[in-house]
Every structure is written in structure tokens, then in C-alpha cells.
């Protein structure tokens, strides 16, 4: 569900409350990054990261939201995407970033994968209070 | 091509499953269920998962395909994943994902060839 009213480029947030919101998050970011001018492989990397992070919100915290900002300067484009929830938080962030670590008996490839696919990954988490994950990707354009 | 739901078609002894471009988790679960049910019903020996429309594959999707392949193999069938888009393949590799023991083919035609050779 859109947090802000969806206008042509006006929307900047999407709440994540159900499984189908994972698809909605992917779609919004696919459209946005394609419009911004990212190449097909970067779009796929960004959308795959969104899929992992939106699912983490849904699976590990139940509800949360995704927000985004896009940047365009001469010769350069960028996107910043933020996932925030008030779920259980991550007790040990370094451990969560290890490939294969999962508290949900799933693959544990989400966070380490996103770290590889995106240019920047920042995780802020307060145990018991919630989690904020911020990712960024840049590209040169003509 | 506009495909919104899974398509499962039986062709001789093979099940051809076509996955839409952006499958929800629900649809990915359904894929597993439908493949196993149809396999039992039609006594098929081969499964082709045509993912040529799929434009995003994350760890959940990859794991479900790997698991499904394993289950199909327990039911003495063989699975070929066909048509993975280059961008999806690059991203999946960077993410560290594999499709388990599934065979892979460039397209559905090649998948049929692989199955025909293996099953004849
Ligand atoms: N939004 C979140 N809230 C709470 N815990 C999280 C969140 N995202 C990730 N985690 C923790 O980090 C672990 C690793 O995440 P990830 O690499 O995506 O693997 P997986 O989701 O398969 O468990 C999770 O098992 C969970 O313990
Ligand atoms: Mg995850």
C-alpha cells in the first residue's frame, strides 16, 4: 500500500504489511531505476536487493516500510532505499551479515547478498526496538 | 508476453511449467505444489521450468527451485531450468545462489533435447 499518494513521480514510501507488498516494492523500484537510467543489470541487482530486504521486513518484523530518494547530477545517477521496521531488531549485525546465518531457518543469503549487489549498505538496529537498513547504488550516465 | 499466473502444460511425459515475470512468494509456493501434484497425476518423468520471463530471482525463489528439483528427483523425475535471463544469472551468481541439482538449458527447445536424451 502506498504511504504517500501515488502521483507520476511523487510517491516516496510504501508500507510493507503483507506478502504481496514485496512484489509492490520490487515494481516501484524497477520502474523508478529504469526511468532514472540504470542499466538492465544494475536494475536487476537493485530489484533483487529490494526483494531480499522487503522480505526481511515481512518475515522477521511483520510490518514496516520502504522509502526512497533518487539523485541525478550531470553524469551521475543514484538511488537510496531505506527499509524501516519496529520489529525485534538484530542482536548481532556482523553475524547477520555472514553468509548462511539465519534465525528463520532460511538461506541466510539476503543481507550478505545485498552487500555485494549494492554500493553501500548501512544497518542500524536496536535490539528489541527495530531495524533500519539503508542501501545505495550509483551509476555513471552520459 | 503477458502471463499473470503459472502455466503447467503436459507434453507427452514432460511437464512444461512457465513462470510469469515477477512471481509473488505465494506463486512460487504454488509452483512447487502444482509441479509435484501434476507429476504424480500424469506420471511425468521430466519437468521443464521455463523462467525466461522471470526478471528477478532472489534467495527465496532459488531455494524453492532447488527444493522442488530435489522433490521431483525423489519422485524419480528430472528437472531442467530453461531460459534464465543473462541479468538474472549475473545477479544470482553475485548473490551466491545456485539452483541445486537442476539442469539448465538456454531455452525450452534445448530443455526438451536434454530430457529426451536423458530419459530415452
Ligand atoms: N528487518 C529485520 N528485523 C529483524 N531481524 C532481521 C531483519 N533482517 C534481517 N534480520 C536478521 O538477520 C538474519 C539474516 O538475514 P538474511 O541474510 O536476509 O537471511 P534470512 O532472511 O534468510 O534469515 C535473519 O535471519 C534475521 O535474524
Ligand atoms: Mg532474508
Amino acid at each position: 500500500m502506498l504511504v504517500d499518494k501515488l502521483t507520476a513521480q511523487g510517491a516516496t514510501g510504501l508500507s510493507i504489511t503483507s506478502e504481496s507488498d514485496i512484489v509492490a516494492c520490487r515494481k516501484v523500484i524497477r520502474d523508478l531505476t529504469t526511468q532514472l537510467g540504470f542499466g538492465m543489470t544494475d536494475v536487476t541487482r537493485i530489484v533483487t536487493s529490494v526483494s531480499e530486504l522487503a522480505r526481511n521486513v515481512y518475515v522477521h518484523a511483520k510490518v514496516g516500510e520502504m522509502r526512497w530518494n533518487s539523485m541525478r547530477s550531470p553524469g551521475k545517477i543514484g538511488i537510496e532505499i531505506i527499509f524501516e521496521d519496529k520489529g525485534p531488531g538484530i542482536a548481532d549485525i556482523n553475524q547477520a551479515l555472514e553468509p548462511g546465518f539465519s534465525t528463520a531457518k532460511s538461506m541466510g543469503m539476503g543481507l550478505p547478498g545485498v552487500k555485494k549487489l549494492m554500493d553501500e549498505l548501512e544497518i542500524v538496529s536496536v535490539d528489541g526496538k527495530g531495524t533500519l537498513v539503508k542501501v545505495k547504488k550509483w551509476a555513471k550516465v552520459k | 508476453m503477458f502471463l499473470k499466473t503459472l502455466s503447467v502444460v503436459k507434453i507427452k511425459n514432460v511437464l512444461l511449467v512457465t513462470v510469469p515475470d515477477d512471481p509473488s512468494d505465494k506463486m512460487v509456493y504454488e509452483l512447487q505444489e502444482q509441479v509435484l501434484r501434476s507429476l504424480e497425476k500424469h506420471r511425468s518423468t521430466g519437468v521443464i521450468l521455463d523462467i525466461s520471463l522471470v526478471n528477478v530471482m532472489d534467495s527465496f525463489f532459488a531455494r524453492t527451485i532447488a527444493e522442488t528439483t530435489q522433490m521431483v528427483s525423489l519422485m524419480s523425475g528430472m528437472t531442467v531450468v530453461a531460459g534464465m535471463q543473462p541479468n538474472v544469472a549475473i545477479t544470482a551468481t553475485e548473490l551466491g545462489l545456485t539452483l541445486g541439482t537442476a539442469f539448465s538449458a538456454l531455452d525450452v527447445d534445448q530443455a526438451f533435447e536434454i530430457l529426451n536424451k536423458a530419459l530415452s
Side-chain angles (χ1 to χ4, degrees):
Chain A
M1 215 180 74
L2 283 174
V3 171
D4 295 352
K5 221 195 287 168
L6 180 65
T7 57
Q9 309 96 355
T12 55
L14 200 63
S15 66
I16 301 166
T17 57
S18 72
E19 190 247 271
S20 61
D21 290 327
I22 301 171
V23 179
C25 286
R26 292 199 299 241
K27 183 164 173 24
V28 163
I29 299 299
R30 174 177 298 279
D31 290 350
L32 180 69
T33 50
T34 305
Q35 271 175 28
L36 264 171
F38 278 100
M40 270 302 291
T41 306
D42 272 345
V43 169
T44 308
R45 290 185 179 111
I46 298 165
V47 172
T48 306
S49 301
V50 164
S51 193
E52 295 290 350
L53 297 175
R55 182 173 301 100
N56 277 357
V57 169
Y58 177 64
V59 170
H60 303 297
K62 300 273 184 294
V63 294
E65 65 175 31
M66 176 180 86
R67 300 189 297 275
W68 59 88
N69 289 302
S70 55
M71 290 142 287
R72 192 200 296 264
S73 59
K76 198 175 180 190
I77 51 172
I79 182 147
E80 170 188 78
I81 314 167
I82 297 162
F83 294 82
E84 191 171 11
D85 64 65
K86 295 190 168 58
I90 301 175
D92 182 342
I93 292 174
N94 287 328
Q95 192 179 37
L97 282 165
E98 276 169 28
F101 176 81
S102 174
T103 54
K105 291 190 183 137
S106 46
M107 281 186 76
M109 297 301 286
L111 291 179
V114 168
K115 195 173 157 75
K116 281 192 219 150
L117 296 177
M118 301 298 285
D119 293 331
E120 288 176 41
L121 164 66
E122 190 186 323
I123 304 174
V124 183
S125 183
V126 180
D127 204 12
K129 288 253 167 73
T131 303
L132 187 146
V133 180
K134 189 196 278 189
V135 289
K136 287 184 194 169
K137 189 93 183 165
W138 307 95
K140 287 195 179 116
V141 286
K142 274 175 214 138
Chain B
M1 186 170 160
F2 296 98
L3 183 68
K4 284 282 158 235
T5 55
L6 272 181
S7 133
V8 182
V9 184
K10 173 194 169 296
I11 302 166
K12 292 188 186 164
N13 56 347
V14 171
L15 282 181
L16 173 60
V17 183
T18 312
V19 188
D21 63 340
D22 193 355
S24 65
D25 291 10
K26 192 164 152 261
M27 202 179 287
V28 174
Y29 279 126
E30 269 170 28
L31 180 152
Q32 185 168 78
E33 263 187 50
Q34 281 205 30
V35 165
L36 299 179
R37 234 185 286 123
S38 310
L39 201 70
E40 190 182 21
K41 183 173 160 203
H42 301 299
R43 312 222 157 253
S44 311
T45 45
V47 176
I48 298 174
L49 297 180
D50 178 4
I51 59 164
S52 59
L53 297 172
V54 172
N55 55 29
V56 57
M57 188 172 72
D58 59 16
S59 61
F60 169 74
F61 191 13
R63 179 174 77 153
T64 311
I65 291 186
E67 263 180 22
T68 308
T69 302
Q70 214 176 346
M71 292 171 184
V72 168
S73 136
L74 283 173
M75 294 170 75
S76 40
M78 181 178 156
T79 306
V80 182
V81 173
M84 189 187 292
Q85 292 177 15
N87 298 315
V88 174
I90 292 169
T91 304
T93 307
E94 289 171 350
L95 238 162
L97 302 178
T98 66
L99 297 179
T101 56
F103 288 81
S104 51
L106 286 175
D107 55 27
V108 170
D109 280 350
Q110 199 189 46
F112 270 110
E113 278 173 32
I114 292 173
L115 285 176
N116 284 338
K117 273 200 196 117
L119 302 174
S120 61

